[in-house]
Amino acid sequence: METPTTSTYEQERRTKVQKLRELGLEPFGGQTPGIQPLALIKSVYKPEMGHDGGPPVKAAGRVILKRDMGKLSFLTLRDETGDLQVALDKKRLSDLQWQVRCLIDLGDIIAVEGPLGVTNKGEITIWATSLAMASKALLPPPAKWEGLSDVELRYRQRYVDLFANPQVMATLKLRIRIVEEVRQFMRDRGFIEVETPMMQPIAGGAAARPFVTHHNALNIPLYLRIAPELYLKRLLVGGFAKVFELNRNFRNEGISPRHNPEFTMLEAYEAFGSWQTMAELVESMICHVAEKLFGTLKIEHKNADGTVRRTINLEGDTTKPAGQRWRRVRMADLVEEHTGWHFDKNKLQDAPPAVMSRILDLYAEKLQLTGPRDQSAHYRTFIHHLDRMSPAEQLQEVYEKLIEPTLIDPTFVTHVPSVIIPLAREARDDPFFADVYELAINGQEISPGYSELNDPDIQAQHFQHQVGDEQQKMDDDFINALKHGMPPAGGMGMGIDRLVMTLTGAESIRDVILFPLMKPIE
């Protein structure tokens, strides 16, 4: 027997659309007043209502299960709040509506009305007395109703993924609540939400490759912003004291489980603040969101079978004041702690052979090498670049490649080489380092925070003496703004997508973005 193709299934459903119209019914219905969420309807039932003695209710949802038993059919409907069973009894429906029952397929959206009750097995059920087609699905849902098994297809067809996988809906609705709590927290702290340009004549505020477009009327190139930083600082010059923006950034770079070219960032700036005030702000914020939405500061990441994969402890050192409990450690000290390399601004290759061997062992372990190291292109590239880097770049490279992925519990990594961060103030005790933090949680950077540089002459020098991939164009207007005087300030950024991953246990950034970027199917 030949297996029907998708086009065959579609044709069968189009035939049912025609039959509905022949019955004088609209397959793609209009407004249905009085519809209530399925979870709310389900909560109304009380045992004393019995088989069908509950109040009449109106419901609508997508048909995810259908069982026909002669003159009785049971459907399971699904909406964004959950699932609920509906019974279609020939004795309760008109002849016309019973004909509709015969034209229902999985994936259809229907509206029903009837008394609430239970079946003989005790399942809460609507005993339908009225039935209407709200939207006839022309394509069938995934064959495996537990959800799309093809991960790539899930991301491409998120509209199917959402109704086929309730956990996906739950995670993405949780993201919305996290964003709401972050926004309210910032407002409660006295920060004003602002909007800055998404299209900019100079891509600044971060070191990244921008997306380029062209404005025809002005005949100028424009860039989708890689960061709002330079515009938010202009607002400090103008007199705003506390500002934040929660919006999209765009970077024309690679895609990975932790990178999407379009991503959501929170950036905030506070006049007369510092990296310490920003560290307190972000620590308090994340703890607030975790306690408000999860009721705990110990976040468990679970496997598909429910076993715990890892636990992230957001409590920190409870002997310290709230907002100062997470570990703070200098980058050089952290690298020495893990590798034995005592950073003294000399080249890494001057480190003792045993220390160098430990660093290379860690990198080989990260790559999960089982064969000879020399056969790994990634390993050879790492060694090649490491030998040619400046001391500052070497320290950053060893930290990012080997140490950061091991930092599961929150860690503020401080005293990053200043040449790496041209927009931050240099540390007064040692200008080689900057007054910054890099907050790592769950093995990835969640938030950077600075004591902002407000000296226009030094800022101009930093733009001119950047290193490696950190180079960005000189923004003359920003320098001009600083010449008008920007107060000392603290600034921070926080990746919302990565925060959601941390709090929900999602393994890929695509799992926490409604529509992640995908390569088109050719």
Side-chain angles (χ1 to χ4, degrees):
M1 179 177 178
E2 184 179 354
T3 302
T5 64
T6 300
S7 60
T8 302
Y9 285 127
E10 182 176 343
Q11 185 55 51
E12 290 175 352
R13 290 175 178 239
R14 288 186 178 278
T15 300
K16 292 180 180 180
V17 167
Q18 184 60 34
K19 288 181 179 180
L20 285 166
R21 288 182 170 142
E22 290 171 358
L23 293 172
L25 302 174
E26 175 52 53
F28 304 96
Q31 182 180 7
T32 306
I35 296 295
Q36 293 181 304
L38 298 182
L40 178 61
I41 293 173
K42 204 168 185 178
S43 69
V44 169
Y45 179 78
K46 301 292 186 294
E48 57 267 23
M49 295 177 182
H51 178 70
D52 57 358
V57 295
K58 289 185 177 181
R62 191 179 296 274
V63 179
I64 64 168
L65 185 65
K66 181 182 180 185
R67 291 175 293 151
D68 294 327
M69 295 177 285
K71 297 181 179 181
L72 182 65
S73 292
F74 288 102
L75 310 178
T76 299
L77 301 188
R78 174 173 292 168
D79 69 7
E80 65 172 321
T81 67
D83 299 349
L84 181 60
Q85 181 168 272
V86 173
L88 304 179
D89 188 341
K90 193 174 190 299
K91 296 182 294 183
R92 298 174 186 257
L93 297 172
S94 68
D95 290 341
L96 180 62
Q97 290 174 335
W98 187 250
Q99 292 183 67
V100 173
R101 166 263 191 189
C102 299
L103 299 175
I104 293 175
D105 290 306
L106 295 182
D108 290 352
I109 300 174
I110 65 171
V112 299
E113 183 176 357
L116 195 60
V118 291
T119 62
N120 293 334
K121 294 183 178 180
E123 184 167 355
I124 299 173
T125 301
I126 299 174
W127 295 90
T129 56
S130 175
L131 166 66
M133 184 69 68
S135 182
K136 182 67 183 174
L138 299 181
L139 294 175
K144 182 181 179 183
W145 189 254
E146 289 78 4
L148 291 169
S149 57
D150 185 332
V151 175
E152 185 86 0
L153 188 60
R154 283 181 49 215
Y155 298 137
R156 291 186 184 280
Q157 298 184 6
R158 182 68 91 189
Y159 42 87
V160 177
D161 192 25
L162 285 167
F163 71 72
N165 292 302
Q167 184 54 48
V168 172
M169 172 73 78
T171 296
L172 291 167
K173 289 177 74 173
L174 191 54
R175 175 201 171 100
I176 294 169
R177 294 187 63 196
I178 289 171
V179 171
E180 289 173 347
E181 286 299 325
V182 167
R183 177 173 275 117
Q184 190 58 51
F185 179 91
M186 295 300 293
R187 290 172 176 166
D188 291 343
R189 284 292 189 98
F191 285 80
I192 297 174
E193 185 171 11
V194 298
E195 295 177 323
T196 61
M198 290 286 196
M199 293 192 299
Q200 303 177 353
I202 296 178
R209 178 181 300 168
F211 288 94
V212 185
T213 186
H214 186 82
H215 191 283
N216 292 335
L218 296 179
N219 192 28
I220 59 171
L222 289 174
Y223 305 89
L224 290 182
R225 76 172 183 200
I226 56 178
E229 179 170 349
L230 302 188
Y231 284 90
L232 291 172
K233 287 181 176 179
R234 285 172 167 92
L235 296 181
L236 295 185
V237 173
F240 281 87
K242 290 183 174 183
V243 294
F244 79 95
E245 184 167 10
L246 215 168
N247 219 319
R248 301 297 180 85
N249 291 349
F250 307 86
R251 299 185 181 180
N252 195 356
E253 298 174 343
I255 296 176
S256 76
R258 295 185 175 186
H259 296 88
N260 193 65
E262 177 182 4
F263 60 98
T264 304
M265 280 287 292
L266 165 72
E267 283 209 22
Y269 294 85
E270 178 183 13
F272 299 100
S274 66
W275 75 264
Q276 290 97 332
T277 63
M278 294 296 104
E280 184 280 326
L281 179 75
V282 71
E283 179 178 333
S284 298
M285 177 196 305
I286 294 175
C287 288
H288 166 80
V289 172
E291 288 184 309
K292 182 73 176 290
L293 300 184
F294 300 90
T296 180
L297 291 178
K298 293 186 177 180
I299 306 298
E300 292 183 343
H301 290 189
K302 295 183 178 180
N303 299 308
D305 60 3
T307 57
V308 177
R309 182 170 64 253
R310 71 173 67 90
T311 299
I312 300 174
N313 185 359
L314 300 179
E315 288 183 340
D317 185 350
T318 55
T319 65
K320 295 181 178 179
Q324 301 177 29
R325 293 174 177 173
W326 292 354
R327 186 185 185 195
R328 301 183 182 189
V329 57
R330 291 171 175 252
M331 179 178 285
D333 292 343
L334 194 59
V335 168
E336 183 174 6
E337 179 182 307
H338 282 256
T339 68
W341 173 36
H342 179 70
F343 181 75
D344 60 2
K345 306 176 188 177
N346 293 317
K347 289 186 179 297
L348 178 58
Q349 61 205 36
D350 292 338
V355 173
M356 188 64 172
S357 177
R358 171 59 178 159
I359 292 172
L360 300 183
D361 285 344
L362 286 172
Y363 193 67
E365 182 180 326
K366 178 193 174 184
L367 295 177
Q368 298 180 332
L369 297 183
T370 55
R373 294 176 178 177
D374 291 343
Q375 294 181 11
S376 168
H378 287 294
Y379 186 87
R380 293 197 305 272
T381 300
F382 177 72
I383 301 301
H384 176 79
H385 287 308
L386 206 61
D387 286 343
R388 289 159 177 77
M389 288 178 176
S390 69
E393 293 174 297
Q394 289 173 337
L395 181 65
Q396 182 80 358
E397 181 77 0
V398 172
Y399 165 73
E400 287 187 348
K401 289 289 195 299
L402 306 181
I403 315 303
E404 185 178 74
T406 70
L407 302 177
I408 303 303
D409 291 341
T411 304
F412 287 110
V413 181
T414 68
H415 293 77
V416 179
S418 58
V419 71
I420 302 294
I421 308 176
L423 291 161
R425 181 188 293 273
E426 296 172 347
R428 298 192 184 282
D429 60 342
D430 187 349
F432 183 88
F433 298 102
D435 278 337
V436 305
Y437 72 73
E438 291 185 6
L439 173 60
I441 312 178
N442 192 32
Q444 60 186 345
E445 184 185 58
I446 295 292
S447 166
Y450 306 168
S451 292
E452 301 296 341
L453 178 58
N454 63 343
D455 184 321
D457 294 335
I458 296 178
Q459 183 63 83
Q461 292 173 13
H462 281 195
F463 279 150
Q464 294 168 353
H465 297 93
Q466 296 169 72
V467 298
D469 295 334
E470 301 302 320
Q471 294 180 3
Q472 51 186 294
K473 290 184 179 180
M474 172 77 78
D475 186 334
D476 291 328
D477 183 70
F478 175 65
I479 298 298
N480 189 61
L482 292 184
K483 288 179 180 179
H484 283 279
M486 186 183 87
M492 60 82 73
M494 184 171 68
I496 295 297
D497 307 312
R498 290 186 176 184
L499 175 65
V500 176
M501 289 175 64
T502 295
L503 294 178
T504 63
E507 285 293 281
S508 172
I509 197 171
R510 295 180 175 184
D511 293 327
V512 299
I513 296 175
L514 279 167
F515 297 102
L517 183 66
M518 304 292 293
K519 185 177 181 179
I521 298 177
E522 297 178 357

